[in-house]
Amino acid sequence: MENQVIHSKTPAPPQKMGLRERGKLERRRRIQAAARQEFMEKGYDVATTRDIAALAEVGIGTLFTYAKDKRELLMMIVNDDLDEVSEQAEQAIDANKALSEQITAFFRPRYEYWAARPALGRPIVREIMDVVGATNEPGPETVRFYERRPRMVEALRQIVSRGQASGQATKTASASLIASLFLTIYLTEVRRWLNQEKPDAAEGLARFRELVDLAIRGVRPD
């Protein structure tokens, strides 16, 4: 047998970030932290971009290179958080549970996140509605916020598909349509829930679960 020499490929070392890139990243972190502090302490409506820039120790012009307005600053704050929340939501799904339990588990991390940050959740709800009717081009952070939606629908579609296979959900409607219904219930409910003075995650989830159960049963009489 001929001796074979196997050349293993070693992964290329990660490229070191240059001073310019590190500086941009550090400024973004400071702006993000400053915006979070101002919004949480003063409220979204009261906080100003000038105060945020001062707290972040950057010029107002520099701040606008990272976020063109307060809406973008708000989206910048929650986007990174919601990426992690989405991961938690997908990991929380237990395919062996009942359909309504899986749907509730999927949205639980979001309720818990907003319950701890109503000062961010309330303006997010309002700004989302403003974006829907806006004619101007949304910023990159707003676009990033909406790009998460198809992933949510797909995760819900998979849950519903399993429910259809096990006889827990009707097959007369597509799994995608039913998934959209559950997402619509959440989006409507979370707006109502966040308008409370102190939104409680357990209370919000309990009502959401009731509506999901109702949607699964249907409203026709037995």
Side-chain angles (χ1 to χ4, degrees):
M1 181 181 294
E2 295 180 358
N3 292 329
Q4 294 180 334
V5 178
I6 300 176
H7 299 281
S8 61
K9 293 183 179 180
T10 57
Q15 293 183 342
K16 291 184 177 180
M17 192 178 294
L19 288 175
R20 181 182 177 85
E21 288 75 17
R22 288 203 300 270
K24 289 176 65 175
L25 182 59
E26 176 58 27
R27 282 191 292 275
R28 186 183 188 278
R29 286 172 178 166
R30 294 207 311 269
I31 291 170
Q32 195 174 25
R36 184 188 297 272
Q37 180 175 332
E38 290 289 294
F39 292 158
M40 294 287 284
E41 293 181 357
K42 296 181 180 178
Y44 178 77
D45 294 326
V46 175
T48 67
T49 52
R50 190 168 298 279
D51 288 341
I52 292 168
L55 185 60
E57 298 181 342
V58 299
I60 189 69
T62 298
L63 182 143
F64 287 136
T65 64
Y66 290 84
K68 68 175 185 177
D69 51 31
K70 272 208 303 184
R71 176 188 294 160
E72 279 290 283
L73 284 170
L74 180 63
M75 297 295 183
M76 179 190 293
I77 292 170
V78 302
N79 270 334
D80 289 347
D81 292 347
L82 290 180
D83 284 343
E84 183 176 346
V85 169
S86 294
E87 292 289 341
Q88 294 172 1
E90 292 175 14
Q91 293 172 7
I93 299 170
D94 184 347
N96 296 315
K97 298 288 187 179
L99 176 58
S100 61
E101 290 184 36
Q102 292 185 57
I103 298 296
T104 304
F106 178 76
F107 284 105
R108 179 173 288 108
R110 289 178 170 81
Y111 270 93
E112 292 174 346
Y113 176 79
W114 294 125
R117 302 162 183 82
L120 299 180
R122 294 186 187 106
I124 278 285
V125 168
R126 186 174 71 242
E127 291 298 330
I128 288 173
M129 296 303 295
D130 289 346
V131 168
V132 171
T135 56
N136 58 321
E137 190 73 19
E141 292 291 341
T142 301
V143 170
R144 180 184 165 200
F145 182 88
Y146 277 96
E147 285 176 344
R148 194 176 293 106
R149 189 70 55 82
R151 177 177 170 180
M152 292 176 64
V153 173
E154 174 57 21
L156 289 169
R157 188 197 66 78
Q158 293 179 22
I159 296 173
V160 172
S161 292
R162 290 194 296 268
Q164 289 176 322
S166 63
Q168 298 181 73
T170 180
K171 295 182 180 179
T172 59
S174 70
S176 295
L177 185 61
I178 298 173
S180 295
L181 171 61
F182 290 139
L183 181 58
T184 300
I185 292 173
Y186 164 73
L187 292 174
T188 303
E189 241 332 90
V190 79
R191 292 188 183 99
R192 178 205 65 81
W193 171 71
L194 275 171
N195 280 329
Q196 299 178 21
E197 184 177 353
K198 293 182 179 180
D200 178 79
E203 181 273 330
L205 273 169
R207 179 177 165 92
F208 174 74
R209 171 69 180 271
E210 288 179 358
L211 292 172
V212 169
D213 284 334
L214 178 60
I216 293 172
R217 293 196 310 269
V219 295
R220 288 181 179 178
D222 293 337

